[in-house]
Amino acid sequence: NLVFRPYPSFMLFLLEQRNHWLIPYGQCRLAKPVVTVQVTGGGNEMNNFRNVSSSEPCPICGKPDWCSVQYVEGGNKLHYCRRILNGENVIGTTGETFIFIKKAGDGSCIYKEESAYRASREEWLRSNNMGASSQTFVKKAAAVPSAPPPQDVQSIPPLENEKLDKVYRSFLAMLPLKKSHSHYLLRQGWPVSLITRSKIKSMPVHSISAKFEDSRHKITAELLREFGSLEGVPGFYTERDGTWTFAGASGFLIPLYDMKGNMYRLRLRLDHPELDENGKEKNKYNNFSSYRESTAPDGSLVNGYAKGCRSGSHIGLYEDHAKDDYTVCYVTEGEKKAIYANFILHNPVISVPGVNSFKKLLEPVGGNNVLDYLYAKGCRVIVIAYDSDKCVNEAVLMYETRLAQLLMGRGFQIALAGWNPGFGKGLDDILALNVRPTYELVRA
């Protein structure tokens, strides 16, 4: 467990770089203990995982996002809920009881339907010649043979980052930036120079008009003339007649960069995202991807986009080699926040696609991960700057703690950024007001 101990105001003396970098100190706290459990099983543990959706929401919390389901042996399911984290048996939204199994490595809680849990328990007892107590377990009724779990969709793998960089840069160069999107960024405190440098561009409005189709077809035709093929480029696919086009509703596209400076993925900020039960926008940011899981007539799973390519979720690294001080690096959730924070703070900033996606910091690119890259550049302090709702959102606080645990022992000093929620939710909100966060130094 990590303990955030109270210390007086302190200075970090960085031997190799600036020795006057002062971290102001705020109120520390004791981090809640988090149990780390490795999910094991035969073969690839990531097989047969599916994200919940609006048509099949999480039966634990009832939400259509963030949670997952894993199909296991016998057609049973393990439900990974990332909102109900109390570690106890719960009655789900359907009225069925779910048994808490354990916490997964990412901090989510794993649950199993009570009937399936009891059946598995009986089978285990029988196989170990222990018998089953009728007072504890209900005898399993004759079960209808369940359908086999879905198999992984065979999809086209993405091209190498260097090739995607060329395609995406040409693609964005053909797109405009609408006034509505430019004005939105200006209201967020972005100067014109940053808007231009960020290469954020607008998607064509999603409609069935000939003008709309023509604009997308013209763009893809030009890209095909330049590159020959768009196969393996997330976001692009072919229509029924074989014509190439690209997916996505109206909004603006934000580039993601790897540590070699390659523009290797795009994120789409929707103009008209879904609303939750309270009328608040949700799922505002989507991957620019040409992947939609569909079922073929024979029951197999296929990509609903012909010749489409799945984007997946990735980190982004935002840096300015000419201006940044690499002794300190920030980690925050969301690309837009990271771009603005890098511009204001003059430190490299890593964006994670979600607070629970912190393990992506260890994914290698060309043999090294982003932490290795930053350490080689002289980084010795990593600041975790998750949103201020961690004060009331137990999940965000837990994932902040787990990220700090992940970073410990890798040659970095770890600090947690905090601020008064009244100034704003995200790091970019307070920076736009010329407010700086306070910091808490993490000690093992």
Side-chain angles (χ1 to χ4, degrees), residues 22-56:
L22 177 65
I23 296 183
Y25 179 73
Q27 180 63 38
C28 289
R29 62 178 179 275
L30 180 67
K32 294 186 178 181
V34 178
V35 179
T36 303
V37 178
Q38 179 66 42
V39 181
T40 61
N44 184 353
E45 284 78 17
M46 293 307 294
N47 283 347
N48 301 328
F49 266 94
R50 296 290 179 270
N51 293 328
V52 298
S53 62
S54 55
S55 59
E56 296 184 13

Side-chain angles (χ1 to χ4, degrees), residues 237-245 292 304 306:
Y237 69 99
T238 59
E239 297 173 325
R240 291 184 178 180
D241 62 358
T243 303
W244 279 94
T245 185
R292 181 181 64 244

Side-chain angles (χ1 to χ4, degrees), residues 31 101 212 242:
I101 305 299
F212 162 77

Side-chain angles (χ1 to χ4, degrees), residues 8 21 54 60 183 203 276 296 309 342 369 394 403 407 443:
W21 187 72
S54 55
I60 312 300
H183 290 165
M203 284 279 281
D276 63 17
C309 181
N342 170 249
N369 58 46
E394 182 181 355
L403 173 54
L407 296 173
R443 297 288 190 186

